[in-house]
Amino acid sequence: FKQKTAYEIRLSLVGSEMCIREVTNVSWYDAIEFCDRLSQKIGHEYRLPSEAEWEYACRAGTTTPFHFGETITSNLANYDGSYVYASEPKGIYLQKTTPVGYFKIANNFGLFDLHGNVLEWCLDSWHKSYDGAPTNGDEWLDGSENQTHVIRGGSWRNEPLRCRSASRWYNNTNKPSQNIGFRIVRSL
């Protein structure tokens, strides 16, 4: 576990206001360890969401490709705006993360930055399809040595298609990346 990754919350000063950026450069194992340490310290169970929980939280009751509607622009989320989605024009490519809530567009559950900014680790092992997936929202872990886990949400480095609520991808469990972070859930 690297002290300067998941255990560190990055703070930066923007003008005279303090803002918080999402933690990046963390492996799946770093995120798991962070959750374990937080759980021990606080006395409640914290963990990564299952892939199904992540999509449910992202959609927040919507059925459109994005929680804010049918399309996406770089005025709504942080992604590589040099790519277009549907008939939208090219937008801005910031080439870095933005502070949490920068676009001031929360979904119906009050969550920010689910489309773009930072890809987010899920608890599930990677499977190419949903054939055989749990139907109750639980995580889908392999009993094998699967070294890839699901990431969701798209990032500042991705084209807008990767930022859709239904878009899913994977990364090596041991490999941190400058555009991958995580979101945690508290078990009840």
Side-chain angles (χ1 to χ4, degrees), residues 72-85 88-96 103 155-161 163:
I72 188 171
T73 68
S74 61
N75 294 325
L76 299 170
N78 185 16
Y79 63 90
D80 184 347
S82 60
Y83 294 93
V84 298
Y85 185 82
E88 296 296 337
K90 286 187 177 182
I92 298 168
Y93 180 27
L94 298 175
Q95 301 182 23
K96 62 183 178 180
F103 293 94
S155 81
W156 60 269
R157 290 178 54 187
N158 294 124
E159 62 275 12
L161 186 66
C163 299

Side-chain angles (χ1 to χ4, degrees), residues 47 49-51 53 123-125 134 136-141:
R47 60 182 172 75
S50 70
E51 184 177 9
E53 289 171 326
L123 198 52
D124 304 54
S125 300
N136 61 357
D138 284 351
E139 72 276 0
W140 190 14
L141 298 172

Side-chain angles (χ1 to χ4, degrees), residues 4-185:
K4 292 186 177 181
T5 59
Y7 203 67
E8 175 185 25
I9 296 177
R10 297 185 178 131
L11 299 175
S12 62
L13 292 176
V14 175
S16 62
E17 295 182 23
M18 186 176 293
C19 65
I20 299 175
R21 293 185 185 261
E22 295 180 62
V23 173
T24 58
N25 285 316
V26 292
S27 72
W28 184 84
Y29 289 116
D30 290 337
I32 294 297
E33 184 164 346
F34 176 87
C35 291
D36 290 346
R37 288 185 183 194
L38 181 64
S39 296
Q40 290 172 2
K41 183 171 181 73
I42 303 297
H44 296 285
E45 182 188 4
Y46 291 89
R47 60 182 172 75
L48 295 177
S50 70
E51 184 177 9
E53 289 171 326
W54 189 96
E55 187 166 336
Y56 178 82
C58 178
R59 288 187 179 280
T62 64
T63 58
T64 54
F66 307 95
H67 72 73
F68 39 72
E70 292 290 338
T71 192
I72 188 171
T73 68
S74 61
N75 294 325
L76 299 170
N78 185 16
Y79 63 90
D80 184 347
S82 60
Y83 294 93
V84 298
Y85 185 82
S87 61
E88 296 296 337
K90 286 187 177 182
I92 298 168
Y93 180 27
L94 298 175
Q95 301 182 23
K96 62 183 178 180
T97 62
T98 54
V100 172
Y102 176 82
F103 293 94
K104 298 179 178 29
I105 302 172
N107 71 7
N108 293 334
F109 294 161
L111 301 174
F112 290 91
D113 302 318
L114 289 148
H115 304 290
N117 210 27
V118 174
L119 284 156
E120 298 176 356
W121 286 112
C122 292
L123 198 52
D124 304 54
S125 300
W126 171 253
H127 299 88
K128 290 181 182 180
S129 75
Y130 290 122
D131 292 340
T135 57
N136 61 357
D138 284 351
E139 72 276 0
W140 190 14
L141 298 172
D142 274 350
S144 68
E145 295 297 314
N146 187 342
Q147 287 299 303
T148 55
H149 278 79
V150 175
I151 48 178
R152 298 292 296 262
S155 81
W156 60 269
R157 290 178 54 187
N158 294 124
E159 62 275 12
L161 186 66
R162 287 258 184 244
C163 299
R164 294 174 303 117
S165 300
S167 182
R168 54 194 303 267
W169 200 239
Y170 60 92
N171 198 56
N172 184 296
T173 304
N174 293 306
K175 184 180 175 190
S177 175
Q178 64 182 352
N179 65 325
I180 300 177
F182 61 98
R183 183 178 302 264
I184 62 174
V185 297

